[in-house]
């Protein structure tokens, strides 16, 4: 079942058309990476999913229920983590989570149990000080806890790691990875390594619409291989191989890089190596990274292409 | 109702921990003490002034003070207490939207109308308690020093209390429309000024909320209680309309 379905969504601010006929479907129990440059419209889309902003046209369904601005009933299925979450600084984390429980109609005993369980999960169990004294990383972890409090079917995270140091980022990504299976995660970011780390499916948002989407593997497979890199044991073998396959670009005395060669070429290379008793240190098929894809979409291609995989 | 009660509790905790409840309590208490205190000290002050004035040839007669002197002071101080109260509550809605602390709440399915109503309830409750505190302190001191002989004391107090509720309702509506607390105060002041200017037109005077602010005239017999009925009905009606409009408009307030 699809947790989220967006069709024909558009939104303008004055003359500036931020979202243009956006269509997106997020299946259950996936971590969905929502990638785009700053100002691409990620936050605007998320605000419309949350009913905080009215679209100009188009429809959004969360678990089959239509979202409408001001009537936040579909938000009972959603947990939301903003990029920089803001809390009532005069409360302790336990008090804040208790408030979250009370407003979602949980029983008192369940609130206490769930709050302690989540504070443990995000590493804030022993923290009894008021939130105003929290570091950015601690706030982000509390943000995850409040977003997960009512066991949402859809967890929306708006660039949750962009303001954090590497350790803080890892902590948040580990938490998000750990909730997969319990909830579906829609995760917006422009940090591609985070996407490669945790996402199952991704969508590239560019110029207000989805430029490309699919699973990480599908997207990688759809791109041409970046090439093949071979590291030889001896310089003689390197020269011998280069004489047979002259398109190899020499890197140092022992390495050859064959740009643009695919997996099919790899088989003939391996066959030649085996037949001629050539010793190698390493044989690597170079996969296109998300960064290559990002550059080709947004820099080289101008980001205008739209492709469904 | 459950969400409303949870938010009400949150608002009270905020009032206590931010120190605003204590500050307002002290302000209302001071105003309550100040009214009879000024009345009581007036003869002594006048005596001091008259001694220095005698040297210039001006002779001041004996000043007689009674409960009415204290009640006059009560109505003179009322606008200042109301302004301080409104300023302290001017950011009650806008700060949540500006700081984005409201976002996690709204994204959990809480209706913005419920949030607004809980905030309005807290503000109204504190206004009621604060006003009652000032009134009763003044009343009991007056009773102790002179005895409360003035007429329509309670009705006059209710009139000015209702005018406070009216301005609170206007300010809450402005809190929904405007983005920052300064613009909320400015917009409320402009609306009050317009009503005040309209009140200068004799034909309109008895229909406007500003009439209720001059309710001390009741105590000296310059007007009768029925003179305030229309103004009271108009003021309560506008307050209800402002609150209903706030409930409608807050749904459209972008986060």
């Amino acid at each position: 079942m699809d947790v989220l379905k967006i069709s024909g969504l558009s939104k303008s601010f004055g003359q500036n058309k931020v979202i243009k006929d956006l269509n997106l479907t997020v299946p259950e129990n996936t971590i969905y990476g929502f990638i785009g440059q700053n100002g691409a419209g990620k936050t605007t889309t998320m605000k419309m999913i949350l009913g905080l902003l009215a679209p100009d046209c188009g429809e959004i369904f969360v678990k089959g229920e239509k979202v409408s601005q001001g009537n936040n009933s579909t938000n009972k299925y959603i947990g939301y983590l903003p990029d920089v979450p803001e809390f009532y600084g005069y409360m302790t984390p336990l008090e804040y989570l208790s408030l979250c429980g009370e407003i979602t109609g949980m029983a008192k005993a369940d609130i206490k149990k769930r709050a302690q369980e989540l504070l443990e999960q995000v590493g804030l169990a022993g923290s009894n000080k008021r939130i105003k004294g929290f570091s950015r990383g601690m706030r982000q972890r509390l943000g995850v806890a409040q977003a997960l409090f009512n066991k949402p079917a859809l967890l929306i995270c708006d660039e949750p790691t962009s303001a954090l140091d590497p350790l803080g980022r890892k902590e948040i990504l580990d938490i998000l990875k750990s909730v997969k299976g319990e909830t579906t995660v829609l995760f917006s970011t422009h940090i591609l390594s985070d996407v490669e780390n945790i996402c199952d499916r991704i969508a590239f948002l560019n110029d207000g619409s989805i430029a490309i989407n699919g699973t990480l593997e599908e997207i990688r497979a759809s791109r041409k291989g970046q090439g093949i890199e071979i590291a030889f044991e001896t310089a003689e073998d390197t020269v011998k191989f280069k004489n047979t396959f002259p398109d190899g670009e020499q890197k140092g005395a022992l390495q050859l890089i064959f740009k643009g060669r695919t997996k099919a070429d790899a088989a003939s290379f391996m066959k030649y190596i085996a037949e001629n008793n050539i010793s190698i240190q390493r044989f690597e098929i170079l996969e296109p990274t998300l960064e290559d894809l990002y550059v080709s979409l947004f820099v080289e291609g101008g980001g205008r292409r739209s492709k469904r995989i | 109702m459950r969400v409303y009660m949870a938010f009400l509790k949150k608002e009270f905790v905020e009032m206590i921990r931010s120190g605003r409840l204590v500050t307002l309590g002290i302000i209302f208490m001071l105003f309550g003490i100040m009214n009879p205190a000024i009345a009581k000290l007036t003869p002594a002050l006048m005596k001091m002034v008259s001694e220095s004035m005698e040297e210039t040839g001006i002779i001041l007669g004996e000043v007689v003070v009674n409960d009415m002197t204290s009640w006059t002071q009560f109505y003179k101080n009322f606008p200042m207490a109301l302004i301080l109260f409104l300023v302290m509550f001017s950011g009650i809605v806008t700060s949540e939207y500006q700081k984005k602390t409201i976002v996690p709440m709204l994204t959990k399915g809480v209706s913005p109308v419920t949030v607004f109503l809980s905030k309005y309830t807290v503000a109204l409750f504190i206004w009621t308690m604060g006003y009652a505190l000032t009134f009763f302190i003044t009343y009991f001191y007056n009773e102790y020093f002179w005895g409360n002989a003035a007429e329509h004391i309670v009705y006059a107090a209710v009139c000015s209390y209702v005018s406070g509720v009216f301005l609170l309702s206007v300010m809450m509506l402005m809190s929904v429309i405007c983005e920052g607390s300064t613009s909320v105060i400015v917009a409320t002041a402009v609306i009050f000024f317009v009503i005040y200017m309209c009140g200068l037109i004799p034909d309109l005077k008895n229909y406007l909320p500003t009439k209720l602010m001059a309710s001390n005239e009741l105590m000296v017999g310059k007007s009768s209680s029925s003179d305030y009925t229309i103004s009271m009905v108009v003021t309560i009606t506008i307050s209800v309309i402002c609150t209903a409009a706030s409930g409608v408009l807050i749904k459209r307030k972008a986060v």
Side-chain angles (χ1 to χ4, degrees), chain B:
Chain B
M1 196 63 186
R2 165 182 44 79
V3 180
Y4 172 75
M5 292 308 290
F7 247 86
L8 211 56
K9 194 173 105 187
K10 173 248 153 198
E11 289 297 331
F12 275 113
V13 170
E14 184 171 338
M15 290 303 298
I16 294 164
R17 293 194 185 166
S18 65
R20 269 190 288 171
L21 193 65
V22 175
T23 310
L24 280 165
I26 291 170
I27 288 171
F28 282 116
M29 200 184 288
L30 282 177
F31 274 111
I33 294 168
M34 215 159 66
N35 304 322
I38 289 174
K40 195 72 185 163
L41 292 172
T42 301
L45 290 169
M46 292 301 279
K47 198 179 172 192
M48 278 168 64
V49 175
S50 67
E51 279 167 9
S52 61
M53 285 184 120
E54 265 175 9
E55 292 165 13
T56 60
I58 300 168
I59 296 163
L60 293 175
E62 199 180 329
V63 180
V64 178
V65 291
N66 53 24
D67 66 317
M68 204 49 227
T69 321
S70 174
W71 283 122
T72 306
Q73 206 58 46
F74 177 89
Y75 288 98
K76 273 186 185 168
N77 288 334
F78 170 78
M80 184 50 74
L82 180 57
I83 289 168
L84 286 174
F85 168 80
L86 293 176
V87 167
M88 287 193 81
F89 276 87
S90 60
I92 192 169
V93 175
T94 53
S95 68
E96 289 250 21
Y97 280 79
Q98 279 183 322
K99 289 182 191 163
K100 308 276 181 199
T101 46
I102 196 74
V103 172
M105 301 294 121
L106 297 182
T107 56
K108 283 189 170 45
V110 173
S111 161
V113 180
T114 310
V115 174
F116 173 81
L117 285 178
S118 63
K119 287 178 181 293
Y120 185 81
T121 308
V122 170
L124 187 62
F125 178 79
I126 292 174
W127 168 243
T128 308
M129 290 296 117
Y131 187 86
L133 186 67
T134 307
F135 174 80
F136 283 115
I137 289 173
T138 305
Y139 185 89
F140 286 118
Y141 271 112
N142 288 356
E143 190 65 31
Y144 177 74
F145 289 130
W146 309 284
N148 281 300
E151 291 173 45
H152 302 296
I153 292 173
V154 174
Y155 189 65
V158 168
C159 286
S160 62
Y161 163 77
V162 171
S163 70
V165 174
F166 161 74
L167 275 180
L168 173 65
S169 306
V170 170
M171 192 196 72
M172 291 301 282
L173 175 61
M174 292 307 114
S175 301
V176 172
I177 295 168
C178 303
E179 289 195 354
S181 59
T182 311
S183 42
V184 169
I185 284 292
V186 170
T188 310
V190 167
I191 290 170
F192 176 74
F193 182 72
V194 171
I195 296 171
Y196 180 79
M197 293 308 282
C198 292
L200 297 178
I201 302 166
D203 290 346
L204 283 175
K205 192 181 163 187
N206 287 340
Y207 298 92
L208 297 172
T210 42
K211 170 81 177 169
L212 299 181
M213 288 182 178
S215 58
N216 55 330
E217 288 177 0
L218 264 171
M219 292 196 286
V220 289
K222 278 188 186 172
S223 54
S224 70
S225 55
S226 60
D227 293 345
Y228 294 85
T229 311
I230 298 173
S231 169
M232 183 73 98
V233 170
V234 168
T235 306
I236 291 172
T237 308
I238 300 175
S239 302
V240 171
I241 291 170
C242 283
T243 310
S246 305
V248 173
L249 293 175
I250 201 160
K251 283 187 180 180
R252 295 183 201 162
K253 194 171 172 78
V255 182

Side-chain angles (χ1 to χ4, degrees), chain A residues 99-141:
Chain A
L99 173 66
C100 294
E102 283 168 26
I103 60 173
T104 48
M106 282 171 79
K108 265 192 177 176
D110 293 340
I111 290 172
K112 203 177 171 193
K113 195 178 156 211
R114 180 77 177 142
Q116 280 165 348
E117 188 182 294
L118 278 167
L119 288 174
E120 192 78 44
Q121 191 178 351
V122 300
L124 291 173
S127 184
N128 290 322
K129 63 178 179 180
R130 290 187 184 170
I131 302 168
K132 66 181 170 195
F134 274 24
S135 68
R136 190 169 266 182
M138 288 167 87
R139 279 169 188 263
Q140 208 74 7
R141 281 184 278 148

Side-chain angles (χ1 to χ4, degrees), chain A residues 156-192:
Chain A
I156 296 178
C157 305
D158 188 6
E159 297 188 12
T161 54
S162 59
L164 299 178
D165 60 26
L167 195 63
R169 262 177 61 200
K170 188 183 176 306
E171 285 169 353
I172 296 296
L173 294 177
D174 287 346
I175 296 168
L176 293 181
K177 251 189 220 174
S178 72
V179 299
K180 190 190 165 186
E182 294 168 29
T183 182
T184 304
V185 182
L186 179 65
F187 171 69
S188 90
T189 187
H190 51 247
I191 304 172
L192 300 172

